[in-house]
Amino acid sequence: MSADAGERHDWTRAEAEALYRAPFNDLLFQAQTVHRRHFDPNQVQMSSLLSVKTGGCPEDCAYCGQSAHHNTGLKASKLMEVQRVIEEARKAKSAGATRYCMGAAWKNPKERDLDSILAMVEGVKALGLETCMTLGKLTQHDAARLRGAGLDYYNHNIDTSERYYSEIVTTRTFGERLDTLDHVREAGIKVCCGGIVGMGEREDDRVDMLVTLANMPQHPESVPINLLIPIPGTPLEGAEPLDPLEFVRTIALARIMMPRSMVRLSAGRASMSDELQALCFFAGANSIFLGCTLLTAGNPAEDKDRALFSKLGLAPMPAEQAPARVDA
Ligand code: SAM
Ligand code: DTB
Ligand code: SF4
């Protein structure tokens, strides 16, 4: 792939910080200008999520209600039947989703589960949906098999800065996350990689997270920016809420630094006002999760999103307009 003239991979923290801290109107104007250069500003891509294996996860991510290390009262489940996953994907497609993202609360997929996982990818793809999976750490071999089944995207977030990572997760390292992302790229699967804000991180952690993403040899095709959903029983249940304008600044910086990526306004929309979401779309977010449940937590109901889209004059983005840029 050849990077276009506006795409950079050599951001310094100082440059990124200066943008992040610019007067709000200057930052949003620049983000919207970059956005319009690459996208129809009134179109938003819609993905739907399904947890195909919930809870009981051996990792200790401080934000997550599915970790076995926290007492959140969530009941762990086994891997879902393939046919049920395909049924759920069909419903999401009729609701307007163009991409289906399936998540499992694993450290990594086990050999005994791979046949079912590959069958889910094949079945969902056969419905005409883009497929995405998030299953934890992958080997090169796992990634190649997923690609062979037709997997379009793999979600694997870096979540925060390298500095703050060890305060959020102790059962794996930031470097292991980057290794899996390399395997995904090498296999020719598109990368979905972003993070969470509102976890008590500093401003420079938000900036550094975006510098890490933007300086990858290829920008992730999808960059989910999640606002922490504080889940009772997790270490972050009482995290100090982030000023919403800092969230908008994070979206704007992601848009400017990764001009051709889909920036997804991800977890946390259920607690956001219409006005805040409108500002995020203006700042360059152009993708959302559709449907009233994320993996385990709530998301706005579809009729609420339809009403918001109508008020803002937004339309769903057809699947083929989402940039496909992997040389496989
Ligand atoms: N287990 C896989 C992994 O960690 O890669 C995939 C599932 S994990 C739930 C996917 C992402 O959801 C996390 O990386 C994090 O960014 C986001 N997430 C999880 N819990 C969240 C919460 N309470 N609030 C906001 N985002 C959350
Ligand atoms: C991502 O960055 N956000 C999604 C998706 N990738 C897998 C997940 C959000 C999870 C929110 C908490 C929950 O539903 O348990
Ligand atoms: Fe497990 Fe993923 Fe939750 Fe971490 S974020 S505890 S890896 S399900």
Side-chain angles (χ1 to χ4, degrees):
M1 184 217 112
S2 61
D4 83 329
E7 208 175 292
R8 289 181 47 193
H9 302 264
D10 58 354
W11 291 91
T12 64
R13 181 208 277 178
E15 279 175 306
E17 216 159 47
L19 276 170
Y20 185 94
R21 265 294 125 232
F24 192 74
N25 286 341
D26 290 347
L27 174 63
L28 259 67
F29 181 71
Q30 188 171 342
Q32 177 67 199
T33 304
V34 168
H35 191 47
R36 280 170 186 262
R37 211 173 281 148
H38 300 281
F39 293 99
D40 178 331
N42 302 310
Q43 286 191 343
V44 174
Q45 188 273 338
M46 297 201 282
S47 297
S48 274
L49 273 170
L50 178 69
S51 177
V52 299
K53 195 273 164 201
T54 305
C57 183
E59 305 275 30
D60 69 352
C61 313
Y63 49 79
C64 186
Q66 301 197 68
S67 165
H69 297 257
H70 321 317
N71 286 320
T72 59
L74 186 76
K75 202 170 160 285
S77 71
K78 290 212 188 83
L79 186 61
M80 209 180 257
E81 292 285 331
V82 176
Q83 276 317 313
R84 209 180 132 210
V85 173
I86 295 170
E87 269 320 300
E88 294 297 321
R90 189 173 283 128
K91 287 187 222 160
K93 187 180 178 191
S94 353
T98 56
R99 189 182 308 166
Y100 204 60
C101 178
M102 295 156 271
W106 288 327
K107 183 174 188 68
N108 53 265
K110 311 261 176 355
E111 187 53 42
R112 64 167 185 268
D113 296 314
L114 263 183
D115 285 345
S116 299
I117 290 290
L118 300 179
M120 288 174 194
V121 173
E122 282 161 7
V124 171
K125 205 175 168 67
L127 299 175
L129 284 162
E130 292 178 317
T131 52
C132 178
M133 286 252 166
T134 179
L135 312 168
K137 183 173 173 154
L138 292 186
T139 63
Q140 278 173 308
H141 183 61
D142 295 331
R145 286 179 72 184
L146 286 163
R147 179 64 193 144
L151 186 69
D152 297 302
Y153 289 82
Y154 195 76
N155 166 250
H156 200 67
N157 292 339
I158 57 169
D159 279 325
T160 189
S161 66
E162 183 165 16
R163 181 198 76 82
Y164 198 55
Y165 198 78
S166 57
E167 304 210 18
I168 296 297
V169 189
T170 69
T171 48
R172 59 172 185 247
T173 62
F174 194 79
E176 283 178 86
R177 286 307 257 190
L178 299 179
D179 290 346
T180 290
L181 290 165
D182 284 345
H183 300 332
V184 168
R185 263 287 171 236
E186 281 158 20
I189 300 170
K190 286 176 245 183
V191 170
C192 172
C193 183
I196 316 183
V197 297
M199 299 195 294
E201 76 283 346
R202 305 190 306 230
E203 174 184 309
D204 58 358
D205 294 312
R206 293 190 282 281
V207 170
D208 282 352
M209 173 178 89
L210 295 178
V211 168
T212 298
L213 295 172
N215 287 349
M216 287 174 174
Q218 248 179 280
H219 294 163
E221 281 78 2
S222 268
V223 180
I225 306 293
N226 297 278
L227 178 65
L228 177 73
I229 301 176
I231 298 182
T234 63
L236 291 179
E237 65 176 331
E240 182 75 22
L242 183 74
D243 179 337
L245 296 179
E246 297 295 306
F247 184 77
V248 179
R249 285 182 181 275
T250 307
I251 298 262
L253 188 60
R255 166 51 64 223
I256 293 167
M257 292 170 76
M258 292 169 279
R260 300 202 306 169
S261 302
M262 308 295 298
V263 175
R264 184 170 309 119
L265 173 54
S266 301
R269 285 198 306 117
S271 68
M272 291 180 196
S273 65
D274 285 358
E275 297 88 322
L276 175 55
Q277 292 189 64
L279 265 183
C280 291
F281 293 130
F282 189 75
N286 62 348
S287 168
I288 59 167
F289 286 120
L290 183 70
C292 60
T293 312
L294 294 164
L295 291 171
T296 67
N299 197 46
E302 282 152 29
D303 56 350
K304 211 167 167 230
D305 279 338
R306 257 192 294 276
L308 177 63
F309 273 42
S310 162
K311 279 202 270 186
L312 299 179
L314 293 175
M317 185 185 294
E320 60 275 13
Q321 295 197 5
R325 334 174 328 203
V326 161
D327 319 321

